[in-house]
Amino acid sequence: MTYEETSAQQRTERFGMSHLSIEVGHLYADDLARPDTLKAEMASAAAWVHGTTEALSKRLGGRRPRVSTCYLVDDYSQQGMPPPEELISVITEAAADAGLRIDYLARESACAAMGPLPLAGLVADRIVFEPPPGANGSRPTVARSGWLCNGVPSPKPKGIAMGVPDQWRPPSQNAKRDHSVFLDVELWSDTEQGRRWSCPMLAAVWQLLRLGVLRDQGKRIGVPEAVAAVVPDEHGHDPDSAARARFPETWEAMPPILQLEPKAYPFPAYRTVSILSVNYLEVEHAVRVICGSVRPEASAIEIIRKSAEREGLVLPDELVDRFSYIFQGPL
């Protein structure tokens, strides 16, 4: 009888990659009350998409780049979201008016869980926190506390009665330059309703999905579903509206990632660009701290690296160096 590890039989799925994934927006329910602002943001995003695509083409020696666009809808923390049919129409019409095409639309709640797969928990389990020099074990592990920092926090005063007061010491950032920018990120909170994932944690999952590095036992996570396959069924739908609606009536019934354009380039890409409001700057700083500590399956990273090399591309070793941002102020 022969014994062997199950992991030895595991195959890591391969799939097509775009050169670049551009996130053209992140929608909150309040944004729908400002249609003029939404249109202005789309127009500005369109200019950045065109400019970024042209610049990428030059870096590729004139080759036509594979660029896909995506949009994230916050159905996780926001209440009272319009039904999918209405909201998707508003977004796509605003994009079309700006000369912009949205290839993929994703639900933020899918970054917490995709069906039975606890996606955010899977990513959290792959966080490897390396204690900095001088750590004494007084701080709980990330798995216990739900907090992740990018350095050494200020030590807690001992508070010994009649003792000499401790001298305050500042926090220190790992791999700092001249000065520290210390950040402590809350990944989740435990409530009576269960674990509640933070915005930075879900945004980190979103970035990793776009890079195509997440796997479940070697299988790809986050395969987009085409619009043609998303049709309202007879369960809980108005028979009259079902004939004319393209999408289910609730966000819970929507696929995690919806492919709006049939001829779109692949959703995952070698690099990502996110065009966001400047209000997201703090969140994305936290995203970089989280993703800098995540260790995906080595085989997934290697497959993507070799795929890029076959196209004459060299990818940064660090995942966070594959992210880029364009932060926009009030328009």
Side-chain angles (χ1 to χ4, degrees), residues 83-304:
E85 190 76 29
E86 177 184 340
L87 189 146
I88 293 174
S89 294
V90 170
I91 295 174
T92 54
E93 287 176 9
D97 290 343
L100 180 64
R101 187 185 74 186
I102 298 178
D103 296 325
Y104 300 95
L105 184 139
R107 298 166 44 218
E108 189 166 359
S109 60
C111 296
M114 286 192 178
L117 182 67
L119 186 52
L122 184 150
V123 173
D125 289 343
R126 287 194 165 272
I127 291 177
V128 178
F129 178 70
E130 299 178 1
N136 57 15
S138 60
R139 179 182 173 111
T141 62
V142 177
R144 286 179 52 204
S145 68
W147 286 83
L148 176 69
C149 65
N150 65 345
V152 183
S154 296
K156 184 178 180 180
K158 298 177 182 178
I160 301 176
M162 304 301 291
V164 178
D166 287 341
Q167 184 177 3
W168 178 80
R169 283 184 290 170
S172 178
Q173 177 189 1
N174 294 338
K176 66 179 180 180
R177 294 184 179 178
D178 294 332
H179 299 86
S180 289
V181 180
F182 178 79
L183 185 67
D184 216 344
V185 185
E186 185 176 19
L187 307 183
W188 69 77
S189 58
D190 289 321
T191 69
E192 293 181 355
Q193 291 73 36
R195 178 154 293 182
R196 190 72 178 171
W197 297 99
S198 70
C199 181
M201 184 64 197
L202 295 179
V205 175
W206 170 236
Q207 289 283 11
L208 296 173
L209 276 172
R210 292 168 64 198
L211 287 179
V213 298
L214 298 183
R215 300 289 191 281
D216 179 25
Q217 297 182 352
K219 296 182 180 180
R220 176 183 177 184
I221 296 175
V223 180
E225 189 170 331
V227 169
V230 184
V231 292
D233 56 29
E234 68 276 11
H235 301 293
H237 291 84
D238 179 357
D240 295 330
S241 65
R244 61 177 180 271
R246 294 190 302 165
F247 309 111
E249 295 178 358
T250 64
W251 285 99
E252 291 80 4
M254 286 283 288
I257 304 173
L258 180 67
Q259 182 173 340
L260 295 171
E261 291 293 334
K263 297 182 179 180
Y265 285 116
F267 171 74
Y270 297 132
R271 294 176 182 266
T272 70
V273 172
S274 298
I275 305 171
L276 301 171
S277 164
V278 70
N279 296 331
Y280 286 98
L281 196 151
E282 292 178 342
V283 170
E284 294 303 326
H285 181 193
V287 167
R288 294 178 66 85
V289 170
I290 297 170
C291 290
S293 299
V294 173
R295 299 294 180 267
E297 291 182 15
S299 56
I301 298 295
E302 183 65 11
I303 283 176
I304 293 174

Side-chain angles (χ1 to χ4, degrees), residues 309-325:
E309 286 182 350
R310 285 194 293 270
E311 298 192 56
L313 305 175
V314 178
L315 298 180
D317 293 332
E318 296 293 333
L319 289 178
V320 295
D321 292 333
R322 303 180 193 179
F323 306 161
S324 295
Y325 299 95

